[in-house]
Amino acid sequence: MSTESETPGGDLAGRHLVLGLSGGVACYKAAELARELQREGATVQVVMTEAAAQFITPATMQALTGRPVVTSQWDLRAPNAMPHINLTREADAVLVAPASADFIAQLAQGRAGEILSLLCLARPRERCPLLLAPAMNREMWSHPATQRNVAQVRADGATVLGPAAGDQACGEVGDGRMLEAPELRDELVAFFQPKRLAGRRVLVTAGPTFEAIDPVRGITNRSSGKMGFAVARAAAEAGAAVTLVAGPVALPTPRGVARIDVGSAREMLAAVLPLAPAHDVFVATAAVADWRPADVAAHKIKKDGSGAVPALTFVENPDVLATVARLPEAQRPWCVGFAAESEDVERHARAKLASKGVPLVVGNLGPATFGRDDNALLLVEADRTTELPRASKLALARQLVAAIAGRLPPGRAT
Ligand code: CTP
């Protein structure tokens, strides 16, 4: 996932996090996690159980965070000798990564036998949320006792991140792997974003399309898909259920986003059209090819030695956005178009409001933005134009999501 940040200080700037480690091999990932969180601007206070210290040393975590690591409830360094109280009073969240099966069991029972479970119990729940990143063997994870405990800690207000499926340290394969450090960082960043689209469903198209000439050649464009992927991520961070229909791009899927890969404009339309009525918002960021070769050769077109070039003829592609915007009102999501122009952005974007039949067109300078991590946007609507000055695509996507959330009519019953 990209590390673009909304604020110059990072997406976690000003956040103070307690990073708790309970016992598990995944403790090795906690070192990188501490760094990732700090890279986004958070301050990180590490608290470790005795078992965690068997897997990674407090010295490592202290050196990485620049703060004395707390490993005991009998830590008398603070004048009031109450580390279990002090640690969470200034914290914006407690993240336990790894959270072992035993640790989750302790939480479920409200036990407080050592510093980490003690501080979780003693934290001010209404303003210091608890996030858990489970890490354990797949049999331990799927055991009814663990599942019962996880359900209980969720019911008590904890947020459970993961676990992922995959290779395990024990050599087995299955559910129970702790999420990777960058994934946990992104989860934390998302956790703190305002949930402006909670309960909404958002459909996004992104990237170029690929229009085949023959089995090995085709016509495409320079769209990287970054803006659309940023919109999908920002919508997911805002609490929406997001479906991303992507043309051929080399980008990782944002966490929590359902992705459908397509090639041509017609494939994009075929993927989008049946999904559109089940979504509240449709954001068309894709740079859909306007034309495709009229005929696709069944075999590779060969040179015949005469110097003659193939005569390609083109036909117009369907307009994905305009097709969705023409759906009957009861099936039509709130549509947002993008306009990639090479000059006079506002005029062209305004013309597209009418030609596409949508309430909002986002204008930008195409050649200046393709492939870059930053952009500048113009939100063009019938009655106003709003400038979003140059910033990272993710920062702009979050502003766009806020704008969409503010304009969205009340939810449709589907
Ligand atoms: N779009 C689409 N399907 C197409 C063409 C465009 O869904 N076949 C969408 C794009 O995703 C974007 C908007 O329509 O949201 C504007 O696309 P753009 O290519 O800038 O405009 P065009 O309609 O193609 O007009 P022109 O090429 O003349 O600028």
Side-chain angles (χ1 to χ4, degrees), residues 224-238:
S224 64
K226 284 181 179 173
M227 192 67 226
F229 275 60
V231 169
R233 175 176 170 178
E237 286 178 345

Side-chain angles (χ1 to χ4, degrees), residues 11 26 39 42 111-112 114 141 146 151 168 202 205 210 222-223 225 232 249 270 272 294 363 377 387 394 399:
D11 283 336
R39 255 184 223 129
R111 299 178 77 91
E114 64 169 313
W141 173 252
T146 302
Q168 304 205 303
V202 176
T205 62
F210 180 88
R222 291 173 53 217
S223 166
V249 294
V272 163
L377 302 180
E387 213 179 312
L394 181 56
Q399 293 174 56

Side-chain angles (χ1 to χ4, degrees), residues 113-159:
E114 64 169 313
I115 182 62
L116 191 54
S117 50
L118 179 55
L119 79 83
C120 287
L121 196 65
R123 78 187 203 285
R125 288 190 310 286
E126 68 291 349
R127 61 176 177 77
C128 182
L130 174 62
L131 298 97
L132 304 172
M136 64 197 75
N137 166 270
R138 67 193 171 106
E139 300 291 1
M140 294 169 78
W141 173 252
S142 64
H143 195 285
T146 302
Q147 289 303 311
R148 217 165 41 233
N149 292 332
V150 169
Q152 185 61 58
V153 295
R154 275 206 176 104
D156 292 344
T159 298

